[in-house]
Amino acid sequence: TVKRRIASLRPMRRPAPWEQELYDGTTTTFEKLARPDYAYAVGVMDDHKILLVRDEQPDRDWVITPAGGKVDGDESPEAAARREFREETGYEVETVKPWFQYRPNKKVEMRIHAFVAKGLKKAGEATPEGGERLSPLTYTFDEFVALGEEPRLRDWMLKVRLLEASLRPEKKETIRRLFYG
């Protein structure tokens, strides 16, 4: 949308460089890059299937990913996850539960927020941006957990959590309770 494009043109926050003393007693200046936060949601459908998207863009081959995107301006991560889920899947979300968040790189000031979206109601067609081709992918819970071994699954922290769940029954049960309980 035009409003989102304008928001993306705003200057990004710039963390201040800092001086740090090194082990040899000298000092040097360090700095970080800053990027907008990113939020995504894994959808849980009424039939208990897990909803993700097949995401293809001109600069890379297709990947499997939860619906998501950058957090705009003063938008909360939860609001961004809801908005992106609607835009990329065509489903409105009744409830969004926080799952985990992480910083993908210590040298970049940015957080990725993962949510679980429940109470999905079809509200229309997906409205991807011009550089996206998106299509829905659904999985049973066990198929979803097995995606930890899928090379096309894009988010590495989600992949780690799914691999843990495939190896440790208590981790799998924790995710099952979050999604269904």
Side-chain angles (χ1 to χ4, degrees):
T1 65
V2 172
K3 186 176 181 181
R4 283 185 56 206
R5 287 191 188 103
I6 291 171
S8 69
L9 296 175
R10 292 184 194 135
M12 289 192 284
R13 62 187 191 274
R14 304 263 184 228
W18 71 94
E19 291 291 319
Q20 184 170 324
E21 186 174 338
L22 304 179
Y23 294 121
D24 66 1
T26 62
T27 60
T28 191
T29 302
F30 287 91
E31 58 188 346
K32 288 184 182 182
L33 297 175
R35 298 212 47 204
D37 284 356
Y38 186 92
Y40 68 71
V42 173
V44 178
M45 304 183 80
D46 288 343
D47 65 359
H48 287 216
K49 292 272 181 102
I50 308 300
L51 177 62
L52 301 174
V53 295
R54 175 187 162 131
D55 178 348
E56 184 180 349
Q57 297 188 17
D59 66 334
R60 61 168 166 73
D61 201 6
W62 68 273
V63 295
I64 300 168
T65 185
K70 77 174 183 165
V71 177
D72 289 336
D74 292 333
E75 185 178 43
S76 71
E78 179 182 319
R82 286 175 179 275
R83 175 183 50 75
E84 287 286 346
F85 199 88
R86 169 61 179 92
E87 290 173 4
E88 294 189 0
T89 68
Y91 283 89
E92 294 284 342
V93 175
E94 184 179 311
T95 60
V96 176
K97 291 183 172 185
W99 186 2
F100 60 89
Q101 65 174 299
Y102 67 97
R103 286 183 49 197
N105 183 319
K106 299 295 183 195
K107 300 282 185 179
V108 179
E109 189 62 40
M110 169 194 190
R111 290 210 179 275
I112 296 179
H113 305 267
F115 295 91
V116 176
K118 297 172 82 174
L120 309 182
K121 302 290 181 224
K122 190 68 172 169
E125 295 303 312
T127 56
E129 294 179 4
E132 297 175 313
R133 281 192 188 142
L134 305 173
S135 54
L137 297 171
T138 58
Y139 300 92
T140 65
F141 183 75
D142 288 333
E143 290 169 339
F144 173 66
V145 171
L147 287 175
E149 296 184 52
E150 170 57 54
R152 290 188 184 268
L153 183 62
R154 185 170 187 200
D155 186 271
W156 64 269
M157 185 57 77
L158 176 56
K159 186 179 287 248
V160 166
R161 294 198 177 240
L162 295 178
L163 284 169
E164 287 177 336
S166 70
L167 295 170
R168 301 188 53 205
E170 70 276 10
K171 297 273 188 177
K172 185 174 182 178
E173 188 55 34
T174 298
I175 295 172
R176 186 186 309 276
R177 278 194 311 273
L178 175 66
F179 281 32
Y180 305 117

